[in-house]
């Protein structure tokens, strides 16, 4: 379905971004990976997922808190594959502390990586998408783009912000072939959340499995983690012709979290 298209997925060396990159590669899209840590493992996984469909894979190590790196990555994507057709703004970090104890430098980093980076990628990718009259911008927000939790001021502010950016981008391009939508996961068991499971286990003196149940029980009625694979399939849907007129939505995949 996506042969000949190019997808840039930020923060795709791990977790949700990797799941989305694999799902898009399976549909034949060429992928530009981005993120820190091991690159060879994720690259091999995405190549394997896209092999039957003939997807190619490239990587750029832009630090999403640095606008100059982001510009360089967009230029690199154009050099590798000609254009970015699908932009998945996914890179994100978390820090848990009350407002009065929140380290200002962590606030700045979360706003830069979880929100401002998406402004830069979007403004840089849009001209190419509009010239081709086809594009998909998918912002990985969170259920925290819709509702709040204590101790997550920067994250909740950034995620509410990215839902707003999603709506504005969708409206400004509503008469074109470029759509912009957000995905709002509840708990997904990635390294970002495992840290919170570990903290809960340590604080309550309970096992890892018990801590997962406590975490789910506080917020997620289904008592199930959403998986990167499920989120990948939602991204594929947003890229499909059936989603041509889905514009500016913030789509929960949260086990009923925000329905309460
Ligand atoms: P993760 O920690 O598994 O992956 C984060 C990715 O972002 C990694 O590839 C990492 O290298 C990359 N990254 C971090 N800082 C970066 C930077 N400065 N520049 C470039 N890349 C950087 O986390 P995840 O859970 O897969 O989170 C992905 C996105 O999903 C985030 O935006 C997160 O807020 C969102 N999200 C996660 C959950 C969850 O429960 N895990 C729920 C809702 C939303």
């Amino acid at each position: 379905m996506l042969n000949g298209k190019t997808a840039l997925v930020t923060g795709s060396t791990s977790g949700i971004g990797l799941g989305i990159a694999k799902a898009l590669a399976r549909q034949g899209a060429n992928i530009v990976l981005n993120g820190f840590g091991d690159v060879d493992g994720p690259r091999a996984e995405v190549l394997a997922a896209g092999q039957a469909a003939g997807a190619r894979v490239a990587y750029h190590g832009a630090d999403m808190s640095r606008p100059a790196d982001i510009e360089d990555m967009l230029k690199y994507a154009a050099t590798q594959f000609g254009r970015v057709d699908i932009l998945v703004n996914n890179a994100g970090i978390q820090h848990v502390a009350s407002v009065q104890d929140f380290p200002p430098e962590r606030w700045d980093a979360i706003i830069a990586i979880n929100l401002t980076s998406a402004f830069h990628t979007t403004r840089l990718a849009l001209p190419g998408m509009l010239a081709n009259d086809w594009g998909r911008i998918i912002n990985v927000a969170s259920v925290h783009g819709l509702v709040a939790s204590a101790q997550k001021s920067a994250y909740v502010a950034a995620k509410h912000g990215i839902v707003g950016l999603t709506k504005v981008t969708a409206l400004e391009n509503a008469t074109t072939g470029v759509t912009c939508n957000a995905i709002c996961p509840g708990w997904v068991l990635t390294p970002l959340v495992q840290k919170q499971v570990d903290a809960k286990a340590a604080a309550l003196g309970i096992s890892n499995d018990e801590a997962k149940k406590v975490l789910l029980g506080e917020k997620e009625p289904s008592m199930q983690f959403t998986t990167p694979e499920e989120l990948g399939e939602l991204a594929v849907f947003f890229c499909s012709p059936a989603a041509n007129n889905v514009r500016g939505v913030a789509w929960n995949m949260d086990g009923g979290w925000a329905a309460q």
Side-chain angles (χ1 to χ4, degrees):
M1 182 181 86
L2 298 176
N3 289 95
K5 302 270 196 268
T6 297
L8 167 60
V9 187
T10 71
S12 46
T13 50
S14 170
I16 295 169
L18 180 56
I20 292 177
K22 287 196 304 202
L24 296 175
R26 215 168 278 125
Q27 297 297 323
N30 295 324
I31 306 291
V32 180
L33 292 171
N34 158 258
F36 299 151
D38 174 40
V39 176
D40 291 343
R43 189 203 295 266
E45 282 187 48
V46 178
L47 267 174
Q51 193 173 21
R56 292 184 289 150
V57 181
Y59 167 81
H60 192 285
D63 179 338
M64 298 305 290
S65 67
R66 298 165 62 103
D69 281 20
I70 296 172
E71 277 199 40
D72 197 59
M73 179 168 63
L74 268 289
K75 282 188 195 138
Y76 169 81
T79 314
Q80 290 292 306
F81 298 127
R83 181 178 58 231
V84 172
D85 304 286
I86 300 163
L87 169 64
V88 183
N89 290 309
N90 167 79
I93 58 169
Q94 176 64 284
H95 187 85
V96 180
S98 57
V99 172
Q100 68 273 27
D101 295 329
F102 214 92
E105 65 279 5
R106 297 307 291 160
W107 171 279
D108 287 345
I110 289 177
I111 299 298
I113 296 165
N114 296 21
L115 176 59
T116 307
S117 72
F119 160 68
H120 289 299
T121 52
T122 299
R123 74 180 173 80
L124 294 166
L126 264 173
M129 291 179 179
L130 290 170
N132 195 37
D133 200 28
W134 196 92
R136 295 288 183 266
I137 300 171
I138 300 170
N139 292 326
V140 179
S142 165
V143 68
H144 283 120
L146 306 168
V147 296
S149 292
Q151 309 280 317
K152 295 185 176 175
S153 54
Y155 190 85
V156 170
K159 295 300 186 181
H160 275 65
I162 204 164
V163 169
L165 175 65
T166 301
K167 293 176 184 172
V168 173
T169 307
L171 286 179
E172 287 182 3
N173 298 286
T175 59
T176 76
V178 179
T179 71
C180 180
N181 294 291
I183 294 179
C184 297
W187 291 123
V188 186
L189 194 55
T190 65
L192 182 142
V193 163
Q194 187 58 49
K195 281 187 207 149
Q196 295 172 67
V197 173
D198 294 344
K200 185 75 77 186
L204 301 179
I206 56 177
S207 72
N208 200 281
D209 278 352
E210 286 166 329
K212 286 178 193 162
K213 287 198 188 108
V214 171
L215 212 72
L216 287 167
E218 285 170 356
K219 300 279 184 181
E220 192 141 341
S222 67
M223 292 298 285
Q224 286 174 41
F225 290 100
T226 300
T227 66
E229 290 72 25
E230 290 163 346
L231 293 162
E233 291 308 312
L234 182 53
V236 167
F237 168 68
F238 281 140
C239 294
S240 73
N244 275 341
N245 208 25
V246 180
R247 293 169 188 267
V249 306
W251 192 310
N252 308 11
M253 221 187 227
D254 65 355
W257 181 326
Q260 297 169 96

